Amino acid sequence: MKQTAHFIWHQERSLQGMDAIILPGGFSYGDYLRTGAIARFSPIMDAVVDFAGRGGMVLGICNGFQMLLELGILPGAMLRNRNLSFICEDRYIRVENANTPFTNHCEPGQILKLPIAHAEGNYYSNPVTLSALQANAQIVFRYCDREGKVTSQANPNGSLDSIAGIRNAAGNVLGLMPHPERGAEHLLNNEDGLYIFRSMISALEKHKTPQTV
Amino acid sequence: MAITPIVTLSLYSPNACRVFGEIMKAKIYITLKNGILDPQGRAIQQSLQTLGFDTVGEVRIGKFIEVNLCETDRTSAENSIKGMCEKLLANTVIEEYQYEIIEA
C-alpha cells in the first residue's frame, strides 16, 4: 500500500511521528484475567489514550478491539462466544456506516467477507449505551449472511445487535472483531480488508492528525 | 585513589511486606451481573441436569481470587481491595464483585 509501518513495542512510551495506530489481534498478552485486561496497562497505552483523545486515528482489531473496550475508549465489553467455542472462519459483515475514516471507500450496505478468529467476541453493552450507539451511527459493521441480511444465524458469537465493529462518538477510533489484515492479499483470494486500509489512507491524506508528543 | 563511600539509606524502597509480613487475606468473588447471559454456566447447568441432578436450576460461573495483604489496618485493606477490583480484577461493565477480608 506504499505506506511506512513501524512496530512499536509495548514497553515504549512515545508515538511521536505516527499518523495512525493499529492495535493488532493475536492473543498478544495471553488474556490471563480477561481479554485485553492486562494489555491495557502496557506503558505505551498512556500514549495511545492521549493520541486517541486528541483525534488521532486508532484501529483496534480483535484483541486490539478488546483492549479499546478495557481502556474505555470504546464502550461495552466482550463476553464468551454464545457457543463457547473459539471460532476461526470467514464471515460476512455489512457496512452500516460508510461515512467514517475507516469505511469511506465502501458503499453503504456493502458486504465484506473477512476472517474472524476469537473466543470472546460476544459484544455486550447496557441498553442505554446500545441506544446511543444506534442513534449516533456508531455501529459500523454488523454480521450478516452472504446476501447482507442480518439474522441470528449469521451472527457467529451472539453479539448484541449483531455488532461486529463500533466507532467512538468522535469517530476517530474503530474496533472490530474480524481481521481485515488477514483478507488483504490477492494470493489469499480475499482483498476485502483493503477497503478499510484504503479508507484510512484517504482520510489521513485529507486531514493530517495532530502532531504527537 | 579516593575511596567512594557506599551509603545505604534504610528508608530506601519501603516495603510493607518486609515490615509487617502478610497479615490479611482478601477473598474476592467476581461474577457476571444479573441478567447477563453466562454461556459457561448454562452449559454446566445442562450437564448437571443430564447427570440426573434434577433439582438444578440456573448455574452461574465466576472467578475466585485470593490476595494476601501486608496490611494491619482493615479500612485501608478494604480500600485497596476495592481499588484492585475496580481497576483490574473486575470489568464493571459486565461483572460485579464481593469480598471478605480475614486475618491470614
Side-chain angles (χ1 to χ4, degrees):
Chain A
M1 305 199 78
K2 301 196 175 71
Q3 301 294 316
T4 315
H6 294 280
F7 288 94
I8 298 171
W9 189 239
H10 68 105
Q11 296 288 3
E12 291 181 39
R13 289 179 184 277
S14 166
L15 295 171
Q16 192 162 19
M18 300 298 149
D19 295 318
I21 304 299
I22 298 178
L23 299 173
F27 298 96
S28 34
Y29 271 81
D31 300 334
Y32 307 113
L33 182 69
R34 284 183 312 276
T35 54
I38 308 288
R40 66 166 273 217
F41 294 102
S42 285
I44 192 64
M45 281 304 176
D46 286 343
V48 173
V49 172
D50 184 55
F51 185 82
R54 282 181 301 118
M57 195 186 281
V58 179
L59 171 66
I61 300 167
C62 195
N63 204 200
F65 184 10
Q66 294 162 339
M67 289 178 214
L68 292 172
L69 295 171
E70 285 282 342
L71 280 162
I73 294 179
L74 293 175
M78 287 297 176
L79 299 168
R80 290 280 295 270
N81 291 347
R82 179 173 51 185
N83 67 357
L84 292 171
S85 298
F86 176 82
I87 307 170
C88 185
E89 60 194 20
D90 282 345
R91 280 288 175 162
Y92 296 97
I93 57 173
R94 193 172 75 187
V95 178
E96 304 292 79
N97 183 351
N99 187 24
T100 80
F102 306 91
T103 51
N104 58 59
H105 275 238
C106 304
E107 297 294 326
Q110 185 173 344
I111 301 158
L112 305 177
K113 185 177 84 172
L114 290 174
I116 60 169
H118 60 249
E120 279 103 354
N122 183 348
Y123 179 83
Y124 172 85
S125 72
N126 63 40
V128 177
T129 305
L130 178 65
S131 303
L133 290 174
Q134 291 162 337
N136 303 326
Q138 284 177 252
I139 301 171
V140 180
F141 301 110
R142 277 198 177 90
Y143 296 107
C144 64
D145 64 15
R146 192 190 293 260
E147 279 75 45
K149 275 194 232 104
V150 174
T151 64
S152 173
Q153 254 186 337
N155 180 345
N157 49 31
S159 207
L160 194 65
D161 203 18
S162 289
I163 286 173
I166 56 170
R167 65 176 176 91
N168 63 346
N172 60 306
V173 180
L174 173 78
L176 81 167
M177 288 313 289
H179 285 272
E181 81 288 6
R182 296 186 193 171
E185 291 279 353
H186 180 59
L187 263 177
L188 295 176
N189 203 22
N190 185 358
E191 295 183 90
D192 283 4
L194 289 178
Y195 283 100
I196 292 171
F197 299 115
R198 288 202 186 108
S199 300
M200 290 176 73
I201 293 166
S202 294
L204 282 170
E205 281 165 357
K206 249 188 261 171
H207 317 274
K208 277 284 173 194
T209 47
Q211 192 61 42
T212 52
V213 279
Chain B
M1 199 173 99
I3 298 166
T4 315
I6 298 168
V7 180
T8 311
L9 291 174
S10 59
L11 283 175
Y12 172 72
S13 178
N15 182 332
C17 286
R18 231 182 293 150
V19 183
F20 305 119
E22 295 177 358
I23 289 175
M24 292 191 187
K25 184 194 286 289
K27 298 183 169 200
I28 305 165
Y29 307 86
I30 294 162
T31 47
L32 285 172
K33 285 182 178 170
N34 276 338
I36 290 186
L37 179 73
D38 178 0
Q40 263 182 303
R42 207 169 53 177
I44 286 164
Q45 176 187 347
Q46 282 162 2
S47 306
L48 289 172
Q49 288 164 344
T50 307
L51 280 171
F53 294 102
D54 51 12
T55 54
V56 168
E58 191 185 21
V59 177
R60 310 279 287 170
I61 302 281
K63 293 186 189 109
F64 173 63
I65 301 173
E66 272 188 358
V67 178
N68 285 1
L69 292 166
C70 305
E71 186 88 69
T72 48
D73 180 60
R74 181 166 284 268
T75 312
S76 105
E78 228 171 271
N79 286 338
S80 52
I81 290 297
K82 267 186 214 161
M84 291 176 209
C85 288
E86 293 283 340
K87 280 190 178 155
L88 176 64
L89 300 179
N91 178 341
T92 53
V93 176
I94 47 172
E95 294 170 326
E96 56 195 12
Y97 60 87
Q98 291 174 292
Y99 57 83
E100 48 184 316
I101 294 172
I102 55 170
E103 310 280 317

